[in-house]
């Protein structure tokens, strides 16, 4: 979703602004813009619809040595993608970039009668409001910003510069992330720390309700109520290699292929094979607190929701006394759901910034329920607001389609379930198989990723012309099928849906015809034979079936069988999901679509 960058220092601001915006491209956007100020405050404003390359074309004719500036990539919410609606927005002598949504912009706009609005955006209303308090520099910019923000309802991460005070910028946040990078004779800002990598490793994460005045060697942070804040400087752990393609054509393929390593990071120091136990420090719950847990609510959106569903299937297998409810954040936040006593909520999010998930977290906290984050992005809002947490540590996930995060989210949640079970005294013999399989999962993933890509590419080539797909599975293979269908639809735009195999006869079976192909995830186990019968029902209706299985023998006349050779049985669906991920990737490549940035989507969904 929208991205913000800003620079004040000794170098050319335009250079950082453009490179920073490029780093944020993965979040999804439809227009971009920058403004820089020279030492006298003369502004150079450049905006363009579409890709940053369009902005760069304009920049080629407007290169400046200016040392301060702000930039933005916009993902349209109010008003179509256009140059006029792109940020920065100008109001008098000030320029503003904004992430988030100003909910009361209509009322505010009605009060700003004098101002001639150029755009349809809520953000321009905020710029005009700040300008109305600024009174052409009669008051310090920061005071004008604070007064305006006190009237705003909604969410924002903003950066503001003024032609009258060209040595400083003002930034603020409420609900949209903002990171300040502390450099030598320069200070940088960004909505996502990945823009800062290579410039500085020292970062300050602004909190909601804080505003900062930033100069090249100064950072002064206060609350909106003028209380001084002493900033905590944290280290950015990510390195440059983690945000580059590293020889792959696309981030999606890179992120699929790096799952053995990313899962090792998730497991590091947390699994003790000898004892057959897991040790999670982050949740910060005592043994007594763990023993008391009776109910788990797992909250997420999209892939994180699927990870929660799948983890729930596993946890209930070894925790007989625990009830588990996995919910979609955008629904749950508005439900009047009763939360039983002794509940704990797992808040699952790769980015740690998803607006709906964050809203749920806050609602759940209000009810006094302990919240545990299963988060990837270090220092993100969710990570900071939960009571305790387990980082999945998969490194930056750049491709909009989430892959490596899914695998690690599932495993991290299962480890949390195991932690509860251990505390409750569930027999070691019951838990050991899970611990052992988890410990060996990185190798199993590596084996599958070494073997299957070529075969999956060929299957993709055969199926790239279909516009419809159905993913099918039972038990743990069902949420995995849901994830497979989401992956295919979001990157290849194939209309893909998942069904629990047993549900097929209750409706979806009517769909089967030559326009559809079916992907069946078929793990060995108690429901194997039933699923095989279900496949026969599909074949009898002329289905075009691709089977992914770890069964030793499978001899129905389906179109393709992808064999998962692995000793992992419990977690075989996670290995099958690698096939779904690759299938989505290769089908999209065949179709020639933008693999890493599918249309209409954003990596981090920071608006409702
Ligand atoms: O950052 P989060 O994990 O909170 O994101 C949740 C969803 O927006 C995300 O998983 C989305 O569904 C992905 N594009 C799926 O690949």
């Amino acid at each position: 979703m929208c991205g913000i960058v800003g620079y004040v220092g000794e170098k050319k601001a335009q250079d950082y602004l453009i490179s920073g915006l490029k780093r944020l491209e993965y979040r999804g956007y439809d227009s971009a813009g920058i403004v820089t100020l020279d030492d006298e405050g003369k502004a150079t404003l450049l905006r363009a619809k579409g890709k940053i390359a369009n902005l760069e074309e304009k920049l080629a004719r407007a290169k400046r040595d200016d040392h301060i500036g702000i930039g933005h990539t916009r993902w349209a919410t109010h008003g179509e993608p256009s140059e006029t609606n792109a940020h920065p927005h100008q109001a008098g002598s000030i320029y503003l970039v904004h992430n988030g949504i100003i909910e009361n912009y209509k009322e505010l706009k009605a009060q700003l009668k004098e101002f001639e609005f150029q755009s349809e955006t809520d953000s321009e209303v905020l710029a005009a409001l700040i300008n109305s308090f600024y009174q052409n520099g009669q008051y310090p910019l920061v005071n004008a910003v604070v007064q305006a923000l006190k009237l705003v309802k909604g969410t924002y991460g903003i950066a503001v510069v003024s032609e009258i005070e060209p040595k400083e910028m003002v930034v603020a946040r409420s609900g949209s992330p903002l990171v300040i990078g502390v450099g030598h004779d320069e200070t940088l800002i960004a909505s996502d720390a990945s823009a800062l990598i290579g410039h500085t490793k020292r970062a300050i994460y602004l909190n909601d309700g804080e505003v900062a005045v930033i100069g090249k060697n100064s950072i002064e942070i206060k609350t909106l109520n003028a209380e001084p804040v002493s900033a905590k400087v944290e280290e950015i752990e990510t390195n440059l290699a983690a945000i580059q393609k590293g020889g792959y054509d696309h981030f999606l393929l890179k992120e699929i292929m790096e799952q053995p390593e990313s899962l090792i990071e998730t497991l590091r120091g947390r699994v003790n094979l000898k004892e057959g136990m897991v040790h999670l420090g982050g949740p910060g719950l005592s043994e007594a607190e763990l023993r008391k847990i009776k109910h788990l609510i797992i909250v997420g959106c999209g892939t994180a929701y699927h990870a929660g569903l799948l983890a729930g299937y596993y946890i209930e297998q070894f925790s007989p006394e625990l009830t588990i409810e996995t919910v979609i954040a955008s629904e749950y936040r508005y439900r009047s759901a009763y939360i039983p006593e002794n509940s704990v909520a797992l808040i699952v999010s790769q980015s740690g910034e998803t607006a709906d998930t964050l809203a749920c977290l806050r609602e759940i906290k209000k009810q006094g329920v302990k919240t545990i984050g299963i988060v990837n992005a270090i220092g993100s809002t969710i990570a900071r607001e939960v009571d305790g947490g387990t980082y999945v540590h998969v490194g930056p996930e750049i491709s909009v389609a989430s892959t490596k995060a899914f695998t690690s989210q599932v495993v991290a949640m299962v480890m949390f379930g195991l932690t509860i079970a251990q505390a409750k005294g569930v027999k070691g013999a019951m838990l050991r198989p899970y611990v052992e399989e988890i410990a060996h999962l990185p190798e199993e993933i590596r084996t599958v990723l070494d073997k299957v890509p070529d075969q999956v590419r060929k299957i993709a080539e055969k199926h790239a012309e279909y516009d419809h797909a159905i993913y099918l599975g039972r038990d743990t293979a069902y949420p995995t099928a849901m994830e497979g269908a989401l992956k295919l639809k979001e990157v290849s735009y194939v209309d893909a849906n998942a069904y629990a195999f047993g549900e097929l006869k209750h409706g979806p079976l009517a769909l089967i015809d030559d326009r559809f192909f079916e992907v069946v995830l078929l793990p060995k186990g108690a429901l194997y034979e039933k699923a095989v019968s279900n496949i026969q029902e599909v074949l009898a209706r002329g289905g075009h079936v691709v089977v992914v299985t770890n069964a030793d023998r499978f001899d129905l006349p389906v179109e393709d069988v992808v064999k998962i050779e692995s000793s992992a049985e419990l977690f075989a669906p996670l290995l099958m999901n690698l096939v779904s991920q690759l299938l989505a990737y290769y089908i999209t490549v065949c179709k020639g679509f933008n693999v890493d940035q599918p249309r209409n989507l954003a990596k981090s969904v920071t608006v409702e």
Side-chain angles (χ1 to χ4, degrees):
M1 213 138 267
C2 308
I4 287 180
V5 288
Y7 181 87
V8 48
E10 302 208 325
K11 298 185 190 137
K12 291 180 191 166
Q14 285 179 337
D15 291 348
Y16 168 69
L17 297 181
I18 293 291
S19 69
L21 290 181
K22 283 186 176 165
R23 290 268 179 83
L24 302 183
E25 273 190 304
Y26 77 95
R27 296 168 66 96
Y29 70 103
D30 42 49
S31 53
I34 60 172
V35 66
T36 56
L37 302 173
D38 72 11
D39 291 347
E40 269 68 58
K42 187 167 176 301
T44 303
L45 173 66
L46 301 166
R47 299 184 295 181
K49 185 181 164 188
K51 291 287 163 200
I52 290 170
N54 302 346
L55 185 65
E56 282 182 296
E57 269 175 35
K58 293 192 171 183
L59 180 68
R61 297 186 294 276
K63 289 264 185 204
R64 299 284 181 269
D65 291 341
D66 305 346
H67 301 302
I68 183 166
I70 53 178
H72 190 261
T73 45
R74 173 173 185 257
W75 190 84
T77 55
H78 296 65
E80 56 168 11
S82 69
E83 189 176 324
T84 322
N85 286 335
H87 303 211
H89 288 292
Q90 181 183 5
S93 53
I94 71 136
Y95 296 82
L96 164 137
V97 291
H98 165 231
N99 285 358
I101 289 186
I102 309 299
E103 286 166 9
N104 58 338
Y105 79 103
K106 282 193 183 142
E107 295 113 78
L108 296 171
K109 193 171 186 174
Q111 290 161 27
L112 294 161
K113 291 200 178 68
E114 313 277 272
F115 191 78
E116 278 182 36
F117 286 95
Q118 309 292 317
S119 79
E120 303 151 80
T121 65
D122 53 333
S123 307
E124 192 187 14
V125 175
L126 180 55
L129 188 64
I130 295 172
N131 183 53
S132 73
F133 286 116
Y134 192 41
Q135 301 272 320
N136 249 328
Q138 281 193 39
Y139 302 97
L141 180 61
V142 63
N143 291 12
V145 169
V146 168
Q147 276 182 284
L149 292 180
K150 283 186 170 169
L151 300 180
V152 157
K153 290 197 185 103
T155 54
Y156 57 80
I158 57 166
V160 191
V161 289
S162 157
E163 289 171 346
I164 298 165
E165 300 171 61
K167 298 268 181 257
E168 290 178 333
M169 76 174 88
V170 176
V171 299
R173 78 157 268 177
S174 179
S176 272
L178 251 177
V179 193
I180 303 170
V182 188
H184 296 292
D185 289 331
E186 62 181 6
T187 311
L188 310 94
I189 61 140
S191 51
D192 176 331
S194 63
L196 305 176
I197 295 165
H199 298 278
T200 178
K201 277 192 158 299
R202 302 171 70 221
I204 298 169
Y205 293 87
L206 215 59
N207 291 307
D208 279 353
E210 291 177 357
V211 57
V213 181
I214 292 176
K216 78 174 178 189
N217 284 314
S218 61
I219 299 164
E220 195 189 331
I221 307 179
K222 289 188 179 151
T223 66
L224 287 186
N225 296 325
E227 294 138 4
V229 172
S230 68
K232 185 171 156 223
V233 182
E234 298 179 38
E235 178 145 345
I236 303 173
E237 288 173 14
T238 314
N239 58 32
L240 214 48
I243 54 166
Q244 290 170 338
K245 285 190 193 143
Y248 288 96
D249 288 343
H250 301 100
F251 282 109
L252 181 54
L253 186 59
K254 177 191 178 219
E255 287 160 11
I256 293 171
M257 298 307 280
E258 71 191 11
Q259 288 178 91
E261 292 75 32
S262 56
L263 186 56
I264 288 174
E265 293 308 316
T266 311
L267 302 185
R268 193 175 294 288
R270 292 169 169 170
V271 182
N272 186 326
L273 254 186
K274 226 162 134 199
E275 296 172 359
M277 290 181 82
V278 298
H279 297 284
L280 289 184
L285 297 170
S286 67
E287 290 282 305
E289 284 172 312
L290 288 165
R291 269 197 297 277
K292 272 208 326 219
I293 300 174
K294 289 218 159 59
H295 184 68
L296 269 190
I297 311 168
I298 308 181
V299 185
C301 298
T303 288
Y305 166 67
H306 294 155
L309 280 177
L310 180 53
Y313 269 73
Y314 285 117
I315 298 170
E316 66 193 11
Q317 290 172 1
F318 54 74
S319 295
E321 286 167 14
L322 203 62
T323 53
I324 301 159
E325 183 190 17
T326 302
V327 296
I328 296 173
S330 57
E331 286 295 309
Y332 193 75
R333 62 182 289 189
Y334 295 113
R335 278 171 51 189
S336 325
Y338 165 71
I339 305 184
E341 245 183 76
N342 300 319
S343 293
V344 162
L346 294 186
I347 312 294
V348 194
S349 177
Q350 186 285 127
S351 62
E353 302 292 350
T354 301
D356 285 316
T357 312
L358 180 59
C360 273
L361 159 65
R362 290 175 178 163
E363 285 301 317
I364 290 171
K365 276 185 89 165
K366 272 192 216 153
Q367 300 195 39
V369 175
K370 269 249 162 33
T371 54
I372 307 293
I374 304 292
V375 173
N376 185 38
I378 292 168
S380 56
T381 311
I382 292 177
R384 285 181 296 129
E385 292 197 15
V386 285
D387 298 309
T390 295
Y391 278 120
V392 293
H393 287 306
V394 299
E397 201 183 53
I398 306 287
S399 179
V400 166
S402 186
T403 51
K404 58 180 179 172
F406 174 80
T407 306
S408 285
Q409 284 163 345
V410 173
V411 172
M413 281 184 271
V414 173
M415 287 200 288
F416 182 68
L418 288 166
T419 307
I420 299 174
Q422 287 165 187
K424 282 178 183 275
V426 174
K427 289 215 170 67
M430 174 86 149
L431 304 182
R432 184 172 273 281
Y434 292 88
V435 179
E436 283 185 355
E437 276 207 18
I438 284 175
H440 293 120
L441 213 44
E443 295 152 45
E444 302 291 345
I445 290 176
R446 185 169 290 122
T447 309
V448 174
L449 290 177
D450 280 348
K451 286 210 176 123
V452 301
D454 261 358
Q455 188 192 2
V456 179
R457 185 175 45 72
K458 286 181 192 139
I459 296 172
E461 284 162 6
K462 279 204 304 201
H463 291 82
E465 295 306 313
Y466 286 89
D467 287 327
H468 306 274
I470 292 181
Y471 281 65
L472 296 156
R474 278 176 171 268
D475 193 57
T476 46
Y478 170 46
T480 316
M482 293 169 80
E483 174 56 12
L486 173 63
K487 220 70 334 174
L488 184 64
K489 83 177 91 172
E490 72 175 321
V491 292
S492 73
Y493 318 144
V494 170
D495 163 36
N497 287 297
Y499 301 100
F501 229 153
E503 274 292 292
L504 211 55
K505 297 196 220 18
H506 301 287
L509 196 56
L511 291 171
I512 308 291
D513 68 15
D514 283 343
R515 297 168 306 148
F516 284 75
F517 73 98
E518 297 78 33
V519 179
V520 177
L521 306 184
L522 180 67
K524 291 196 267 195
L527 297 176
Y528 176 80
E529 289 304 337
K530 287 187 194 296
V532 169
S533 306
N534 293 144
I535 295 174
Q536 274 165 327
E537 289 159 7
V538 175
L539 289 175
R541 274 123 194 125
H544 300 273
V545 179
V546 176
V547 168
V548 186
T549 186
N550 59 341
D552 306 321
R553 277 197 56 196
F554 178 83
D555 38 28
L556 288 180
V558 296
E559 292 192 354
D560 288 285
V561 179
V562 183
K563 186 82 202 334
I564 302 294
E565 275 158 24
S566 161
S567 57
E569 298 216 342
L570 296 164
F571 292 100
L574 276 184
L575 303 177
M576 293 174 184
N577 188 51
L578 304 172
V579 175
S580 299
Q581 293 173 346
L582 287 166
L583 192 62
Y585 172 73
Y586 286 120
I587 287 182
T588 308
V589 171
C590 288
K591 285 179 178 287
F593 296 143
N594 186 336
V595 178
D596 288 325
Q597 289 165 29
R599 67 186 180 203
N600 306 338
L601 297 183
K603 182 65 183 164
S604 169
V605 185
T606 50
V607 293
E608 188 178 349

Short mmCIF file of all heavy atoms in Angstrom, two decimals, residues 35 43 45 47 86-96 115-118 123-124 127-128 131 163:
data_model
loop_
_atom_site.label_atom_id
_atom_site.label_comp_id
_atom_site.label_asym_id
_atom_site.label_seq_id
_atom_site.Cartn_x
_atom_site.Cartn_y
_atom_site.Cartn_z
N VAL A 35 8.88 15.84 -3.78
CA VAL A 35 9.14 17.28 -3.81
C VAL A 35 10.44 17.50 -3.04
O VAL A 35 10.69 16.84 -2.03
CB VAL A 35 7.98 18.10 -3.19
CG1 VAL A 35 7.82 17.86 -1.70
CG2 VAL A 35 8.17 19.58 -3.46
N ALA A 43 10.69 25.11 -4.34
CA ALA A 43 10.29 23.69 -4.44
C ALA A 43 10.35 23.17 -5.86
O ALA A 43 10.07 23.90 -6.82
CB ALA A 43 8.88 23.53 -3.91
N LEU A 45 8.49 20.08 -7.59
CA LEU A 45 7.47 19.05 -7.37
C LEU A 45 7.31 18.22 -8.64
O LEU A 45 7.10 18.77 -9.72
CB LEU A 45 6.14 19.73 -7.02
CG LEU A 45 4.91 18.83 -6.91
CD1 LEU A 45 5.04 17.86 -5.74
CD2 LEU A 45 3.64 19.68 -6.73
N ARG A 47 5.34 14.68 -10.12
CA ARG A 47 4.40 13.59 -9.84
C ARG A 47 4.06 12.89 -11.15
O ARG A 47 4.06 13.51 -12.22
CB ARG A 47 3.11 14.15 -9.23
CG ARG A 47 3.35 14.85 -7.91
CD ARG A 47 2.08 15.31 -7.26
NE ARG A 47 1.39 16.33 -8.02
CZ ARG A 47 0.26 16.91 -7.64
NH1 ARG A 47 -0.31 16.53 -6.51
NH2 ARG A 47 -0.32 17.84 -8.36
N ALA A 86 -1.97 12.27 -7.14
CA ALA A 86 -0.71 11.76 -6.56
C ALA A 86 -0.18 12.73 -5.51
O ALA A 86 -0.45 13.94 -5.56
CB ALA A 86 0.32 11.55 -7.66
N HIS A 87 0.59 12.22 -4.58
CA HIS A 87 1.24 13.05 -3.56
C HIS A 87 2.63 13.42 -4.08
O HIS A 87 3.13 12.72 -4.94
CB HIS A 87 1.40 12.28 -2.25
CG HIS A 87 0.12 11.76 -1.68
ND1 HIS A 87 -0.10 11.61 -0.34
CD2 HIS A 87 -1.02 11.31 -2.28
CE1 HIS A 87 -1.31 11.11 -0.12
NE2 HIS A 87 -1.88 10.90 -1.29
N PRO A 88 3.32 14.39 -3.53
CA PRO A 88 2.95 15.29 -2.46
C PRO A 88 1.83 16.25 -2.88
O PRO A 88 1.75 16.64 -4.04
CB PRO A 88 4.24 16.06 -2.17
CG PRO A 88 5.33 15.23 -2.74
CD PRO A 88 4.74 14.50 -3.89
N HIS A 89 1.00 16.62 -1.90
CA HIS A 89 -0.01 17.64 -2.13
C HIS A 89 0.50 18.96 -1.59
O HIS A 89 1.09 19.01 -0.50
CB HIS A 89 -1.32 17.26 -1.42
CG HIS A 89 -1.99 16.11 -2.10
ND1 HIS A 89 -2.54 16.21 -3.35
CD2 HIS A 89 -2.18 14.83 -1.70
CE1 HIS A 89 -3.05 15.04 -3.70
NE2 HIS A 89 -2.82 14.18 -2.73
N GLN A 90 0.23 20.01 -2.37
CA GLN A 90 0.69 21.34 -1.97
C GLN A 90 -0.50 22.14 -1.44
O GLN A 90 -1.59 22.08 -2.01
CB GLN A 90 1.28 22.07 -3.17
CG GLN A 90 1.79 23.45 -2.79
CD GLN A 90 2.31 24.25 -3.98
OE1 GLN A 90 2.21 23.80 -5.13
NE2 GLN A 90 2.83 25.43 -3.71
N ALA A 91 -0.26 22.87 -0.36
CA ALA A 91 -1.26 23.83 0.12
C ALA A 91 -0.46 25.04 0.59
O ALA A 91 0.28 24.94 1.57
CB ALA A 91 -2.08 23.24 1.25
N GLY A 92 -0.56 26.15 -0.12
CA GLY A 92 0.26 27.32 0.21
C GLY A 92 1.72 26.95 0.11
O GLY A 92 2.16 26.40 -0.90
N SER A 93 2.45 27.19 1.17
CA SER A 93 3.89 26.93 1.12
C SER A 93 4.24 25.53 1.64
O SER A 93 5.41 25.20 1.74
CB SER A 93 4.62 27.98 1.95
OG SER A 93 4.05 28.00 3.24
N ILE A 94 3.26 24.74 2.00
CA ILE A 94 3.61 23.42 2.53
C ILE A 94 3.31 22.29 1.53
O ILE A 94 2.45 22.43 0.65
CB ILE A 94 2.90 23.13 3.88
CG1 ILE A 94 1.41 22.92 3.66
CG2 ILE A 94 3.15 24.18 4.92
CD1 ILE A 94 0.91 21.76 4.45
N TYR A 95 4.03 21.19 1.72
CA TYR A 95 3.83 19.98 0.90
C TYR A 95 3.69 18.82 1.86
O TYR A 95 4.42 18.75 2.86
CB TYR A 95 5.04 19.75 -0.01
CG TYR A 95 5.22 20.86 -1.01
CD1 TYR A 95 5.86 22.03 -0.65
CD2 TYR A 95 4.73 20.73 -2.31
CE1 TYR A 95 6.00 23.07 -1.56
CE2 TYR A 95 4.88 21.77 -3.23
CZ TYR A 95 5.50 22.93 -2.84
OH TYR A 95 5.64 23.95 -3.74
N LEU A 96 2.77 17.93 1.52
CA LEU A 96 2.49 16.82 2.44
C LEU A 96 2.40 15.50 1.68
O LEU A 96 1.87 15.44 0.57
CB LEU A 96 1.17 17.08 3.16
CG LEU A 96 0.50 15.90 3.87
CD1 LEU A 96 -0.03 16.32 5.23
CD2 LEU A 96 -0.65 15.32 3.05
N PHE A 115 -10.00 27.41 0.29
CA PHE A 115 -8.96 26.66 -0.42
C PHE A 115 -9.47 26.07 -1.73
O PHE A 115 -10.57 25.53 -1.78
CB PHE A 115 -8.44 25.53 0.49
CG PHE A 115 -7.21 24.87 -0.04
CD1 PHE A 115 -5.97 25.46 0.09
CD2 PHE A 115 -7.29 23.65 -0.71
CE1 PHE A 115 -4.83 24.86 -0.41
CE2 PHE A 115 -6.16 23.03 -1.22
CZ PHE A 115 -4.92 23.65 -1.07
N GLU A 116 -8.67 26.22 -2.76
CA GLU A 116 -9.07 25.64 -4.06
C GLU A 116 -8.48 24.24 -4.20
O GLU A 116 -7.29 24.09 -4.50
CB GLU A 116 -8.54 26.51 -5.20
CG GLU A 116 -9.43 27.70 -5.46
CD GLU A 116 -8.91 28.52 -6.62
OE1 GLU A 116 -8.38 27.95 -7.59
OE2 GLU A 116 -9.03 29.75 -6.52
N PHE A 117 -9.30 23.26 -3.96
CA PHE A 117 -8.80 21.88 -4.01
C PHE A 117 -8.55 21.46 -5.46
O PHE A 117 -9.34 21.76 -6.35
CB PHE A 117 -9.81 20.94 -3.33
CG PHE A 117 -9.78 21.07 -1.84
CD1 PHE A 117 -10.67 21.91 -1.19
CD2 PHE A 117 -8.85 20.37 -1.10
CE1 PHE A 117 -10.63 22.05 0.19
CE2 PHE A 117 -8.80 20.51 0.28
CZ PHE A 117 -9.69 21.35 0.93
N GLN A 118 -7.45 20.77 -5.65
CA GLN A 118 -7.09 20.30 -6.99
C GLN A 118 -7.47 18.83 -7.17
O GLN A 118 -7.76 18.39 -8.26
CB GLN A 118 -5.57 20.41 -7.22
CG GLN A 118 -4.97 21.76 -6.90
CD GLN A 118 -5.46 22.81 -7.87
OE1 GLN A 118 -5.51 22.55 -9.07
NE2 GLN A 118 -5.83 23.98 -7.36
N SER A 123 -6.18 13.30 1.45
CA SER A 123 -4.86 13.78 1.90
C SER A 123 -4.70 15.28 1.63
O SER A 123 -4.12 16.01 2.44
CB SER A 123 -3.76 13.02 1.17
OG SER A 123 -3.95 11.64 1.32
N GLU A 124 -5.23 15.75 0.51
CA GLU A 124 -5.10 17.18 0.20
C GLU A 124 -5.86 18.01 1.24
O GLU A 124 -5.46 19.13 1.57
CB GLU A 124 -5.62 17.48 -1.21
CG GLU A 124 -5.23 18.87 -1.67
CD GLU A 124 -5.86 19.27 -3.00
OE1 GLU A 124 -6.81 18.60 -3.45
OE2 GLU A 124 -5.41 20.29 -3.57
N ALA A 127 -3.54 18.51 4.00
CA ALA A 127 -2.54 19.53 3.65
C ALA A 127 -3.15 20.93 3.81
O ALA A 127 -2.53 21.84 4.40
CB ALA A 127 -2.07 19.31 2.21
N ALA A 128 -4.38 21.10 3.32
CA ALA A 128 -5.03 22.41 3.40
C ALA A 128 -5.29 22.81 4.84
O ALA A 128 -5.16 23.98 5.22
CB ALA A 128 -6.34 22.38 2.60
N ASN A 131 -2.12 23.93 6.39
CA ASN A 131 -1.80 25.25 5.84
C ASN A 131 -2.65 26.35 6.50
O ASN A 131 -2.17 27.46 6.74
CB ASN A 131 -2.05 25.23 4.33
CG ASN A 131 -1.68 26.53 3.68
OD1 ASN A 131 -0.57 27.01 3.86
ND2 ASN A 131 -2.61 27.12 2.94
N GLU A 163 8.19 25.55 2.40
CA GLU A 163 9.13 26.43 1.68
C GLU A 163 9.71 27.47 2.63
O GLU A 163 10.78 28.00 2.39
CB GLU A 163 8.38 27.15 0.54
CG GLU A 163 8.00 26.22 -0.60
CD GLU A 163 7.06 26.87 -1.60
OE1 GLU A 163 6.50 27.94 -1.31
OE2 GLU A 163 6.89 26.28 -2.68
#
